[in-house]
Structures are given as C-alpha cells and as structure tokens.
Amino acid sequence: ALWCLMMSVTPSRGCLLDLPWEDILVPHILCHLPLQQLLSLQRVSKSFQSLIQLYLANMRCFDSSQIGPAIPRAAFVNLLKDNEVLQQLALQNCSDWLTDRELLPVIGQNHHLHQIQLKGCAQLSRHALVAISLSCPNLRQLCLAHCEWVDSLSLRSLADHCKALEAVDLTACRQLKDEAICYLVQKCSRLKSLSLAVNANVGDAAVEETAKCCPELEHLDLTGCLRVKNDSIRVLAEYCPKLRSLKVKHCHNVAESSLSILRSRGVELDVEPPLQRALVLLQDVVGFAPFINLQI
C-alpha cells in the first residue's frame, strides 16, 4: 500500500495529492496504513509531510506500539502536539520516559477520549489521573495496571468526574484500599469489568460493595487478593446476575463452597473444581490419570 502511494506521485499517473485531503485521503486512504509507514511517507516530499501532519492532527486513535518497541520522547510530543480529537490513547511502550510533562498537554487538549491505556507507566504521578478525570468526562475504559502512583484521592477524582466508566484495570495499584474501591463503584455503577488483582489491601468490603453497586458487572479479577473470603463471593453471586468471569487464583480464603454457586451458573472461573484439581495433581505424581467411577 505504501509503495502504491509513493508511485502515484509520478506525473504520468496523476498526483495522489490532487485528491481532497480532508474528505478523501485522510478518512478513506491513510487510515488503512500502519502509523509507522505513514511517518515514513513524510520523507517523500514537503507536500506529503504536510498531508501526514494533517492526518496526525485528525487522528482518532493513537497506539504507541504501532510505531515499534520504543517511541522516542520527542517523537511522541511532536506527533500529538496538534491533535484535539483523540478518542483512544494507548501508551504501553513509553514507560521508560513518559512523565506528567509529556502526558498532561495531550490529555488537556483532548476532551473526547473514551479509552486510555497507561499500563506500566510508572513515572507518572497522581496529577495525571486528576487531569484525566477533569478533561475526559466521556471516558469508558481506563487501564492503570502496575501504576503504583494511583492513590485514593486521585481515584476519588476519577469517580466524581467519569461516571460513565465501564472498564477499569487497577491491577497492582497497591496504595488503594477498600475505602477507595467502595467510593469508585458507588459513583461508577455502570462498570462491567474491574480488575483489583495483586492487591493485598483489597478485601471483602470492596468486593461486596462492587457487587451491590454494579449490577451490570461481567468480569472481575481478584487474583492474589489474599483478604477476600467466601462471604463476599456469595454476595457477588447474589447481586451480579450478568457475571461471566471471575478470577480468584491465589485467593486462599476462597473455597469451592462459594464458587460452586457461580460455577453452576456457567461463570468462567480460573480455578478448577476440587476433584479435577486432585486428578491433575495425582497425574503429576503417578504419571497417568487413574480411572474413577464417578457414579459410585
């Protein structure tokens, strides 16, 4: 596709740039090319450079992984400096250098964002989350996995201003305790997906409040939440009829007595039933799966 675009510049074939830029080239042609190839097109001519700059200013989705394993700081700043219409922002490959200084201007000028991915961006601060909450009222999905700078105050700001949230990933946000999670789910009752994994501070209070406040909940990840017990899982089963998957691996205080209720409803669980788990362990020991008459 890139080769065809470049060949179309020759006079004998007419010029691609003669087509309407904003009506044809940007929305119907350039949008089908990988971002890395579009950036290469800027080297063809000054006209192509202007065209790509127009495309970047009107880009709805920016995913740093499309550029390569690592995107330079200066390149990131330059790519998004004129964009005010972003709807999706994914910055997985920027954790080595991304700070509030680079992110806040982008957030501040893009009020239509509904998906933000900041997994592992450890050099940001709570001010980044406050900026997101104030600038992105239509936010639907937010990933803050392994962002240990997220604290209760910044999460409260998010809950107060982004009440349309449907999916939040707070994996390994270890500053958060039950009170912060309870406040979030009370304000954001449309949540369908929530991850509280790898947080030893999360317990039954957060799970029960989530169940009671979020009837649309479909996916809940409690992996490694050591303080979660059977009682809260029963409340989850009672209040969340739309639950489709639950992760409770390494939750040592959650037993089959509570999980069986969800299992009988077809909820996908990441732990096997006791009998199947025992057979797997026995197979590891003896080297084969024994025949057992389950009708006895």
Side-chain angles (χ1 to χ4, degrees), residues 118-122 142-152 155 168-177 181 194-202 221-226:
L118 297 175
K119 181 179 179 180
C121 292
L142 177 62
C143 178
L144 297 169
H146 302 281
C147 293
E148 296 194 20
W149 44 266
V150 177
D151 60 9
S152 59
L155 194 69
V168 179
D169 189 343
L170 299 172
T171 298
C173 292
R174 296 185 175 91
Q175 288 196 58
L176 300 178
K177 298 181 180 179
I181 303 302
L194 177 64
S195 176
L196 304 173
V198 199
N199 191 334
N201 293 318
V202 170
D221 190 346
L222 300 173
T223 304
C225 294
L226 304 179

Side-chain angles (χ1 to χ4, degrees), residues 123-174:
Q123 298 190 50
L124 297 174
S125 77
R126 60 184 300 272
H127 300 295
L129 187 52
V130 172
I132 289 171
S133 66
L134 296 177
S135 297
C136 309
N138 300 314
L139 195 63
R140 298 289 191 276
Q141 299 179 25
L142 177 62
C143 178
L144 297 169
H146 302 281
C147 293
E148 296 194 20
W149 44 266
V150 177
D151 60 9
S152 59
L153 288 177
S154 57
L155 194 69
R156 288 175 72 93
S157 178
L158 179 73
D160 286 335
H161 297 93
C162 300
K163 298 179 181 179
L165 279 166
E166 296 179 355
V168 179
D169 189 343
L170 299 172
T171 298
C173 292
R174 296 185 175 91

Side-chain angles (χ1 to χ4, degrees), residues 7 105 115 148 151 165 179 193 202 231 247 254 258 270:
M7 289 296 293
Q115 293 183 27
E148 296 194 20
D151 60 9
L165 279 166
E179 294 79 9
S193 177
V202 170
D231 288 345
K247 295 184 179 181
V254 174
S258 61
D270 64 342

Side-chain angles (χ1 to χ4, degrees), residues 15 27 47 52 60 82 122 131 136 156 158 165 186 188 203 213 217 227 234-235 244 254 257 276 287 292 294:
C15 183
S47 295
I52 300 307
R60 299 295 197 273
D82 298 321
C136 309
R156 288 175 72 93
L158 179 73
L165 279 166
Q186 288 166 4
C188 303
C213 294
L217 193 68
R227 294 175 56 231
R234 294 191 182 96
V235 173
R244 294 168 52 192
V254 174
S257 58
Q276 185 174 350
I292 297 179
L294 298 178

Side-chain angles (χ1 to χ4, degrees), residues 180-191:
I181 303 302
C182 290
Y183 192 87
L184 173 70
V185 298
Q186 288 166 4
K187 297 287 186 176
C188 303
S189 58
R190 300 183 192 178
L191 281 176

Side-chain angles (χ1 to χ4, degrees), residues 198-223:
V198 199
N199 191 334
N201 293 318
V202 170
D204 285 343
V207 177
E208 292 180 13
E209 195 68 15
T210 298
K212 294 175 181 178
C213 294
C214 303
E216 302 296 317
L217 193 68
E218 297 179 1
H219 307 282
L220 180 61
D221 190 346
L222 300 173
T223 304

